[in-house]
Amino acid sequence: MGVIKEIEQFHAEMTEWRRDIHRHPELKYEENRTSDLVAEKLHEFGIEIHRGLAKTGVVGTIRNGDGPSIGLRADLDALPLEEKNTFKHASSNPGKMHACGHDGHTAMLLGAAKYLASSKNFKGTVNFIFQPAEEGGGGGELMIKEGLFEKFPVDSVYGLHNWPGMPAGTFGVGAGPIMAAADLFDLTINGRGGHAALPDQCIDPIVIAAQVVSTLQTITSRNTHPVDSVVISVTQIHAGDAYNVIPDSVRMHGTVRTFLPETRDKIPSSMLRVAEGVCAAYGATCELNYKTGYPATINAVPESEISAKAVVDLLGEDKIIRNPTPSMGAEDFSYMLQARPGCYVWLGIGPGKGEFGCMLHSSHYDFNDDVLPTGASYWATLVKNELPA
Ligand code: NI
């Protein structure tokens, strides 16, 4: 039991790919070099390549006789962040950084592709999906809109994300919601401005905004089932530009996170009810602009069991964390899970391997190369189990 021996043998090569990608981070829909590198490697392994879905997306396909078809997905893009690490493979592109470990995801899926192309120990079709623009660009959604699953039909689709803080080489696997839906809102409160010394002649939108911010929290604490989870965060408040003037209006912006679609659907009307009610009490009005983002990432029950079995077959019962606490972060693999049944798992990388050991999206983050063979072996085991030879 443990990682697949043949994969372990090219650990050094996978580390090289990973560090090369880390050194050359590219932002959403500009992953040209990374996409070239992936295509070049897949070609080298003798895998059929399709390019151009969602601009920089790459799909590699191995057909090995009749059998089920599976999709395995990795993401290619980096973040607009200045890297503060000083090691040799630190970013050479100013203001861009692989701070979410997508370099590691790409290297692990390439590792699995290399192994499966030579072992061919399965019967059916494996599609290796390398998607652009996971970080706020909806690259996964765009690939689907451009016909991903018509061009590459799959019975099920699987994703993986590294997770700092979970012991290195362990997997978090659970059915149901694992990552949240992420929506945005703009809320404008319209009062009546005037002299700050004459508040009785004004409708002060700042006092009203303060009430609205705290009252919005009752949606999460009083209108939502206590076991369900909602986050409403007002993250920006803009108003006024003088010491002695009450402004006409206040603009607020923020984000809403939910897991259950039915809960998500109710939030805009709840927010409007609260904001309008508070405004009415003071004679003000408001406007809400609610923008839906990535949906929740929801794992199907059978495919979650399939993922769990692959982990246990590969590494044993003590390397799996079943039903980990979901994250309120978001992920655009959610669109693939809306289109096809599947499962998205977390792979622990231990205390982050950056210079300070830290979480995703930190300027000190680095992927932990020790787990590269573990991730690639997980993919290969999933294929072996689901597409039996
Ligand atoms: Ni990520």
Side-chain angles (χ1 to χ4, degrees), residues 148-166:
L148 173 67
F149 292 133
E150 285 74 42
K151 290 187 172 80
F152 306 97
V154 299
D155 299 301
S156 53
V157 66
Y158 292 84
L160 178 161
H161 207 292
N162 78 98
W163 211 254
M166 257 170 56

Side-chain angles (χ1 to χ4, degrees), residues 75 79 100-102 105 134-135 161-162 330-331 344 360-361:
D75 34 18
L79 282 157
C100 202
H102 299 183
H105 304 164
E134 193 287 318
E135 298 290 355
H161 207 292
N162 78 98
E331 163 62 71
Y344 174 88
L360 304 169
H361 293 208

